[in-house]
Amino acid sequence: PPPPPPPPPPPRAPSSSSSRPRPNTMLRRFVLGGIGAATACGAAYNYNVSLAEEAKKSSALKMGIFAPPGGGKGTVCSKLVRDYGLIQVSTGDLLRDAVKNKTPLGMKAKGYMEKGELVPADLIHEIVGTYLTSPEVQEKGFILDGVCRSKANSEYIRDQGLTPDLCLILDVSEACVQDRLGGRVIDPVTKESYHLKYVPPPEDIKDRCIRRKDDYPEAITKRFNLFQAGLKEVLSVFPPATVKKIDGEGKPSDVYKRVQAKVDETVAHKKMEELFDKGADPKRMLSALNALSWVLTRGG
């Protein structure tokens, strides 16, 4: 009979360096990374879009903010104006300014106000639209604060080509609103606002402070419910992708961080759209970004 086959050789012990990338793999990653970076920079150069300039350029963001009474819109808006250079637009402020400055539209509105009549929606829309299309607002961008209170208001904004890039909802519970507004008092002499729990008035003026009729529990509940009932209809006019909701409760600094995250995300998306609108080839740009992503996530 033939002799039996020789036994198989014993398995080789794994090398301590087997988990390390081989030199040719590391070189491949380095080369691919260089190609990806060069492609991205070349695309930016070819389309006259400098990556550094693009990052510094302020995009004219169009934004709407929505929250119930006591939801914190005022605090958030003031910080957005400070940090992003946006212009806060309030219907009430625009109407008062138009009347004060005796503009043609303001004088029309004053006639209704002097008779104790409501200013027609069409006239208010015209006042708002005139301001929103002014060169300064178009250059800096805006925040609609209380402008879209009805579906008709939202439809006007949309029809004027002013649809917000971001419709941000500050989500707060009625209990939170009751806590914020229920303790609010005003000094009738100085007109300063205080909060009995968080920012109490000085002892020498405490007894003269008063509470607004809108800040009693029953009134707060009514205003809160009115806001919630109308919100869906107001926002139904705008693209669903532009509507974002964040938690509006907690420390003001924490709430603002959530706001900033949504605003920054919207600005980045808007800049990318502008880049493509200027002639950049999406396939070429995505190819470069994919190469860079490969290096960042798998390169070693």
Side-chain angles (χ1 to χ4, degrees):
R12 295 178 60 185
S15 173
S16 61
S17 61
S18 61
S19 59
R20 299 176 185 173
R22 292 176 298 176
N24 61 337
T25 302
M26 296 179 66
L27 177 62
R28 176 172 175 266
R29 292 177 179 177
F30 179 79
V31 171
L32 281 175
I35 293 173
T39 304
C41 293
Y45 177 80
N46 290 337
Y47 302 119
N48 297 318
V49 179
S50 165
L51 295 177
E53 291 175 359
E54 186 67 22
K56 294 177 182 178
K57 186 175 64 177
S58 175
S59 183
L61 179 69
K62 302 188 292 291
M63 177 179 173
I65 190 165
F66 303 86
K73 283 194 295 118
T75 301
V76 169
C77 284
S78 63
K79 292 179 179 180
L80 289 173
V81 169
R82 177 196 68 195
D83 295 338
Y84 294 86
L86 302 172
I87 296 178
Q88 184 177 355
V89 181
S90 165
T91 301
D93 291 342
L94 291 182
L95 187 57
R96 284 187 288 270
D97 289 344
V99 173
K100 180 181 177 181
N101 297 328
K102 298 181 179 181
T103 66
L105 295 176
M107 297 311 294
K108 287 183 182 180
K110 184 178 180 181
Y112 290 99
M113 296 165 68
E114 288 178 341
K115 297 176 185 177
E117 300 176 1
L118 292 176
V119 179
D122 291 345
L123 181 54
I124 291 178
H125 287 165
E126 195 172 356
I127 292 173
V128 171
T130 300
Y131 184 70
L132 290 178
T133 54
S134 64
E136 181 185 12
V137 178
Q138 288 290 298
E139 179 184 354
K140 293 184 177 181
F142 58 75
I143 314 169
L144 301 178
D145 175 15
V147 172
C148 298
R149 295 179 180 270
S150 68
K151 186 176 182 180
N153 296 155
S154 297
E155 288 174 338
Y156 174 79
I157 293 297
R158 178 199 62 193
D159 294 344
Q160 297 301 306
L162 300 169
T163 296
D165 304 303
L166 172 64
C167 296
L168 188 65
I169 305 170
L170 305 182
D171 188 28
V172 295
S173 65
E174 183 184 349
C176 178
V177 172
Q178 289 281 4
D179 181 61
R180 291 177 180 179
L181 298 184
R184 187 168 64 178
V185 293
I186 299 174
D187 180 1
V189 177
T190 64
K191 308 300 180 184
E192 290 288 332
S193 294
Y194 300 93
H195 195 283
L196 297 177
K197 180 179 178 181
Y198 301 111
V199 189
E203 285 295 327
D204 58 332
I205 68 167
K206 182 177 180 181
D207 293 337
R208 77 183 185 208
C209 288
I210 59 175
R211 183 185 295 185
R212 292 172 46 191
K213 63 179 181 179
D214 287 342
D215 290 342
Y216 285 92
E218 299 81 6
I220 293 172
T221 297
K222 182 178 180 180
R223 296 165 66 198
F224 181 85
N225 290 338
L226 282 173
F227 169 79
Q228 295 293 349
L231 181 61
K232 184 176 180 180
E233 186 177 57
V234 166
L235 294 175
S236 66
V237 175
F238 303 128
T242 65
V243 179
K244 307 292 182 182
K245 181 187 291 188
I246 66 161
D247 182 3
E249 298 186 20
K251 295 180 180 179
S253 58
D254 293 337
V255 173
Y256 187 59
K257 287 179 182 178
R258 299 176 203 132
V259 171
Q260 280 188 302
K262 294 299 181 185
V263 173
D264 290 344
E265 177 186 308
T266 304
V267 170
H269 181 75
K270 187 176 178 67
K271 286 181 177 179
M272 184 62 71
E273 286 184 336
E274 291 173 353
L275 181 62
F276 289 159
D277 288 343
K278 290 178 180 178
D281 180 3
K283 291 184 179 179
R284 184 176 180 183
M285 292 298 295
L286 288 175
S287 176
L289 292 174
N290 283 336
L292 287 173
S293 175
W294 188 92
V295 174
L296 292 174
T297 58
R298 300 188 61 181

